[in-house]
Each structure stands twice: as C-alpha cells, then as structure tokens.
Amino acid sequence: APRYLAQIAGRISFKSEQSHLRAWIAMYGTWPMAKLKTEHVNIAYSQWQQEGFSNQTIIHRRRVLREMYQMLYGPKCDHPVEDARRISKPRPQPVHVPIETIREVDKAFRALDRPVEYAIFRVLATTWQRPCQLNRTLPKDVSIKGRSWNVPSAKGESQHVIYLSDEMVAAWKLFIAANAWGKIDTCKQADLMRACGWPEDIRPY
C-alpha cells in the first residue's frame, strides 16, 4: 500500500484514494497480496453493505484495489477483483437545493477571500455544468464578447455550446481574473462550500 500511494501522491483525488485503500488495510492489511483471493473481496463487499456503506463507495474501493495490483504488477496481472461479484452502480438521484440556500452560500463564500475557489463555485452554480467539464475547458473555449462557452464532452455527454447570461458572464469574468484554469480539487471545494452553509447531507456535485 505505501508503494502504491507513493506513486499517486500527486493526484487531486489522493486523499479519497487513500481513504478507500484504508478500508482494505483495516480488513487485510497484514496479509501478503498473493494471499488475497476473490472470496475475500466478496466477503469485504458483504461486510461493507451490512455496515451501510453505499454501493458507490464500494465501487470506488473495488477500483482502488484493482488499480493497486495493476500499478505494482502490471496491467495484465492476475488480481482478486477480476472475478469478484459486481456491485451495481446506483442511479443518480439529483437533489433540489433552494435558491435561497445557494445565495447564502454564495454570500459567505465571497467573504472568505478565496478568489479561485469562489470563481469555480460561481461558474458551476450559474451554468449547471459538471466539474470535469470545467476541468477540461481551455481559455479559447470561452468567449466573453461572444457570450458563449464551448463545453467539452464528459461522461457520455457530447461537446456543446451554451449561451452565457449576464450572471454567467459575470462568473466567467471572476474565473478569468482569478486565473482559475486547471484541475479542481473537488474535496477542498466541497469542504469550503459546507463551511459556508452548504447542507451536510447533500453532495455539492
């Protein structure tokens, strides 16, 4: 596990990957990797489901274990995840957040004096596009003068252009002024939003 974590330490998602790996370490951390079999992976799935962990969390744990084997021993190595039972991916359930709540979060976020993170929040909140689409956006994709954003493809959705309203233009001006281009640390972004009053039980995504 330390060898694997050392190789992914630069990832934005490092903290969450580390957390998913800790779940395996808690169950089988003293075992040699060669001893871990498909049966043990299935037992872990069952135990986590009984403990109330969501299928999405278990899917992430499955992915991290598989990736650790493949990173350490090659992409074609044998690993216990391959034949383990499949965990069904939950259907997304969008949750409505009152506009009043969003405005209160916006006001508190603005007062934090975190121009990059606040600009990211403003663009996502006004355009309703995905964080990964903003991640992939380049300066050439946004035209303030033409009031358009050429949104990159992501998660099965094709590339498309959206018209920028006055509110969206204002958000993009903040974004450009803050030079907020690049990868979004969604964990840090979520922590800041919750510190500003975002409901604890609703994922900002």
Side-chain angles (χ1 to χ4, degrees):
R3 285 171 55 204
Y4 166 70
L5 290 172
Q7 294 182 63
I8 67 167
R11 287 185 185 173
I12 289 176
S13 59
F14 175 75
K15 288 184 179 179
S16 61
E17 307 287 88
Q18 187 179 43
S19 176
H20 294 316
L21 190 55
R22 284 193 186 119
W24 292 106
I25 293 172
M27 293 190 72
Y28 303 119
T30 61
W31 293 23
M33 288 178 71
K35 184 180 177 182
L36 198 63
K37 305 299 182 185
T38 298
E39 173 188 0
H40 305 121
V41 174
N42 286 333
I43 289 172
Y45 293 170
S46 296
Q47 179 171 320
W48 292 331
Q49 286 178 322
Q50 290 176 57
E51 291 173 359
F53 288 97
S54 70
N55 280 10
Q56 188 64 50
T57 295
I58 297 172
I59 287 170
H60 283 307
R61 291 178 179 181
R62 179 182 191 277
R63 172 184 55 76
V64 167
L65 185 66
R66 183 191 68 237
E67 186 178 286
M68 180 171 69
Y69 275 86
Q70 292 175 332
M71 186 170 286
L72 296 179
Y73 302 116
K76 296 183 179 180
C77 73
D78 292 329
H79 55 78
V81 177
E82 184 67 29
D83 295 321
R85 67 184 177 89
R86 300 292 173 181
I87 303 295
S88 59
K89 189 172 182 178
R91 293 176 63 86
Q93 297 291 331
V95 180
H96 174 72
V97 180
I99 188 64
E100 293 78 12
T101 299
I102 297 174
R103 286 177 176 148
E104 289 170 3
V105 171
D106 178 86
K107 183 178 179 180
F109 210 148
R110 185 168 62 249
L112 285 181
D113 193 26
R114 300 289 293 260
V116 171
E117 291 83 4
Y118 177 61
I120 290 169
F121 167 77
R122 287 290 300 185
V123 169
L124 294 176
T126 58
T127 64
W128 288 28
Q129 303 302 302
R130 296 181 175 92
C132 58
Q133 290 169 314
L134 186 54
N135 279 342
R136 299 175 186 179
T137 298
L138 302 174
K140 66 178 179 63
D141 295 324
V142 181
S143 172
I144 298 299
K145 186 177 180 180
R147 303 179 72 98
S148 66
W149 174 14
N150 185 20
V151 183
S153 62
K155 295 195 173 182
E157 185 176 6
S158 60
Q159 176 180 314
H160 59 281
V161 177
I162 64 171
Y163 170 79
L164 301 180
S165 66
D166 290 345
E167 194 174 34
M168 296 175 190
V169 167
W172 269 111
K173 284 181 177 178
L174 281 174
F175 188 95
I176 293 167
N179 194 26
W181 309 99
K183 294 293 184 182
I184 300 170
D185 185 336
T186 53
C187 292
K188 180 171 72 173
Q189 194 76 17
D191 288 343
L192 287 170
M193 289 174 63
R194 290 195 171 99
C196 293
W198 190 266
E200 289 288 340
D201 58 340
I202 299 178
R203 292 178 59 218
Y205 181 86

